[in-house]
Amino acid sequence: MGALITRFAPSPTGFLHLGHAASALLARGYARAAGGQFLLRLEDIDAGRCRAEFAAAIIEDLSWLGLDWDGPVRVQSAHVQDYRDCLARLQAMGVIYPCFCSRRDSAAAVGAPQGDAPPPYPGRCRTLGAEDVAARMAAGRAFAWRLDQARARAMVDRRLGWHEVGVGWAEAAPERLGDVVLGRKDAPVSYFLAATHDDAVQQVNLVVRGEDLRAATAVQVLLQALLGWPRPDYRHHALMRDGAGRRLAKRDGDVALRDWRAAGYLPSDVRKRLPEWHSMVTLA
Ligand code: GLU
């Protein structure tokens, strides 16, 4: 493996909180400990939920904390055509299908699947005939592209999994998430595909992120196998929780970094509240 490249990839759907800062510090810690690079990527592909003011706030808050990154910030909304090209490749391989089920069914599936994931899609549109699909498309019906898990898995003739740093081999069971959404009319690509594509083009070889995204990793290693992209190692860290044991969320304004700042705290005060990130850096 070449130099270590890690990244922090927040979605600008709210203000960063302490948990984000801890995650970014850990990813940066791995890179710095190995003399590698730490990248920043804004995952703003879901136009309905992302806002420019949050993107600007992310840059400002990280800078305030002294959390510097290497090279330019990658902004996903500037690379839409690349994601469309990936979808076209998957379509040509016959591993995605158009799904016309209600927006409600597929809307939740575009962002990163954190927290309580919706139950897997039952696959109603998987068996639609070509004529039926053509008629619906001709009628201008909105649709989402879904991954046909069974067909995709059948195309990969090897064990599917990844190296989880500090743990070892982790077996991937992507079918547990069902036929996930990979693209939609109003959000040209979902988190699964955009993040996987970007980790490949940015040559990220260690993905450090919260354990809430562990299930998504199974789908991402499947996409890597299908599209011939390298597979990074992964380090899914525990999530920060509040006093009542609930995971921190962007809606919990009281832990937003900017509130600490507004209350007069210094970056050094905030860093003291973070877990001992340097002792969490294990390169096994
Ligand atoms: N953009 C995702 C989020 O904010 C995280 C992506 C990742 O680290 O893979 O939840």
Side-chain angles (χ1 to χ4, degrees), residues 7-13 20 23 41-44 76 111-114 191 195 199 207-210 212-213 220 234 250:
R7 49 59 162 192
F8 177 53
S11 303
T13 54
H20 294 112
S23 188
R41 181 166 81 222
L42 293 178
E43 302 208 321
D44 63 341
Q76 287 192 328
Q114 289 143 331
Y191 158 75
D199 285 336
V207 171
V208 179
R209 61 187 179 196
D212 52 333
L213 287 170
Q220 295 182 325
Y234 291 84
K250 284 181 183 140

Side-chain angles (χ1 to χ4, degrees), residues 251-275:
R251 61 181 176 273
D252 297 332
D254 54 341
V255 291
L257 292 173
R258 45 195 44 219
D259 293 337
W260 287 78
R261 183 163 139 203
Y265 287 96
L266 298 172
S268 53
D269 300 322
V270 176
R271 277 164 175 261
K272 268 187 231 139
R273 304 291 297 250
L274 298 173

Side-chain angles (χ1 to χ4, degrees), residues 23 37 42 51 53 71 78 129 155 164 174 191 197 210 260 279 282:
S23 188
Q37 288 184 59
L42 293 178
R51 298 225 305 258
E53 81 180 83
M155 289 191 77
E164 180 73 31
Y191 158 75
H197 169 271
W260 287 78
S279 64
T282 49

